[in-house]
Amino acid sequence: MIAKRFSGCQTEIARVQCADVTIATAGFTRDAAAGLSCSGVPLDTIIARVGTPAYVYSAALIRQAWRRLDRAFAPVPHALHYALKANSTLALLRLLRAEGACADANSAGEIEVALRAGFTPDQIVFTGVGKSDSELRRAVSLGVHAINAESPGEIDRIEAIARDAGTRARVAVRVNPDIDAGTHHHISTGRRHDKFGVPIELAPALYRDMARKPALVLVGVHVHVGSQITDLAPLRRAAESVVGLARALRAEGIALEHVDLGGGLGIPYDDSPVATIEQYAHALVPIVRSSGVTLLLEPGRVVVGAAGVLVAAVVDIKASGDRTFVVLDAGMTELLRPALYGAYHRIEAVRPRAGARRRYEVVGPLCESSDVVGRDRELPPLEVGDLVAILDAGAYGSAMSFTYNRRPLAAEVLVEDDGWRVIRRRSTVDDLLALEVDGE
Ligand code: LLP
């Protein structure tokens, strides 16, 4: 078993080397005897204990992605603020914190979860297009590392809150550089007509104005042009535009501590080419090095995306016209991405049956025709009760799940080198009803 094979590594250095050696084998592997496994643990062994649907994460793959990122950006002073929105299950946050991660929170809720995971306020940046006064008050009073401000109006509110509290708020301005990230339009955030940030040409005057306000500490400039970006050109252009802004501000006497280039690097969900972590760093490092300031990044998907699968069971199979529907016990409530973006996730049988492969419409159990997991997929023959794994579901899977049709939230499992454990139990109807007041 893979986990056993490397369990003899003793020292920290040896452990890191082991992580490198296992790049091809850590995480999800398949063999004839065990079917699909996670770091040596057959998925059906886990499911026999926790049931379906369940998310299964590989700690080894998360650490591996994290270390690759950290190593790739080593040539410049940097801090990696993991974007909690991708997946903020506490056990994963604690794992990442132990790896040296900082945090990017997008709501007061994510700030509190980051604190509970052990992040300190100075390790947290607070981003988000609609921060309420109470969220800003919390961030200001905690003294987070930076509030990435989205508008002149928000900056006024931050300034008033900090002044009233007799403190100073650390602020970066999120600029909108009018760059098309070339990704799905739902997750493009850097074009003029997207709701995010301050048009970059307005930023110099805004910074001059902010510099006159003693309750504000101008710490950085922030940009995030989108997510699941596969081509580096837009990320390079975004970096050049904010580094140019930081340089121009310094020439005016406004010296920033950092440029925050957000997240956005994609992962290969299918066979289309995607820039690697190393190519990403290779593109950005020279631009940032020339600025002389610290680089902040807010990676999410690239850290956890490939490290998680959603395991579901086949609950029904039926023919309709020329289609055969395979109905799973997981759908858009567990993994919204296919329904919301038409996103593609590979689907694999956990223990493939012998026989000719067939074409299936793989759908969820919800009362919505958009509740499709994969259209027209060629798979080994499936039968009711079989398990399938929906791959690359670690990012924006569990984090975007919901309880429509009074469905419970799926269980989550983390597989470590030395075994596996439930990190979130499946919710119950009592959990679902816990907030309701019906007068009885
Ligand atoms: N920073 C900011 C300000 C962001 O808005 C995001 C993602 C990130 C960082 C992390 O981006 P990443 O490295 O994960 O691409 N639900 C969509 C993705 C939405 C991304 C929103 N912002 C999906 O399932 O594809």
Side-chain angles (χ1 to χ4, degrees), residues 269-289:
Y269 287 101
D270 57 20
D271 295 334
S272 319
V274 181
T276 64
I277 287 173
E278 289 72 25
Q279 290 166 338
Y280 174 56
H282 190 71
L284 299 188
V285 160
I287 301 168
V288 174
R289 197 173 1 221

Side-chain angles (χ1 to χ4, degrees), residues 57 82-94 96 103-107 109-117 119 300 304 394-400 412 423-424:
Y57 305 108
Y82 169 67
L84 264 72
K85 60 174 76 69
N87 189 324
S88 59
T89 304
L90 274 178
L92 304 191
L93 296 184
R94 293 202 171 111
L96 285 165
D104 164 35
N106 204 69
S107 66
E110 285 190 349
I111 291 178
E112 298 311 322
V113 170
L115 293 172
R116 286 193 205 187
F119 292 97
V304 292
Y396 306 107
S398 155
M400 289 171 70
E412 292 180 277
I423 55 172
R424 186 180 75 182

Side-chain angles (χ1 to χ4, degrees), residues 345-359:
H345 284 260
R346 285 174 287 156
I347 302 171
E348 293 192 6
V350 169
R351 279 187 182 271
R353 290 177 185 278
R357 293 168 74 86
R358 303 182 192 167
R359 304 205 80 88

Side-chain angles (χ1 to χ4, degrees), residues 313-335:
V314 175
V315 291
D316 198 9
I317 300 182
K318 62 182 178 182
S320 175
D322 57 353
R323 295 177 180 203
T324 304
F325 290 100
V326 168
V327 186
L328 304 181
D329 64 359
M332 64 195 290
T333 40
E334 287 70 29
L335 182 66

Side-chain angles (χ1 to χ4, degrees), residues 220-237:
V221 54
H222 176 258
V223 72
H224 172 81
V225 294
S227 192
Q228 185 51 21
I229 299 172
T230 55
D231 168 24
L232 293 172
L235 292 167
R236 198 182 284 118
R237 282 173 53 214

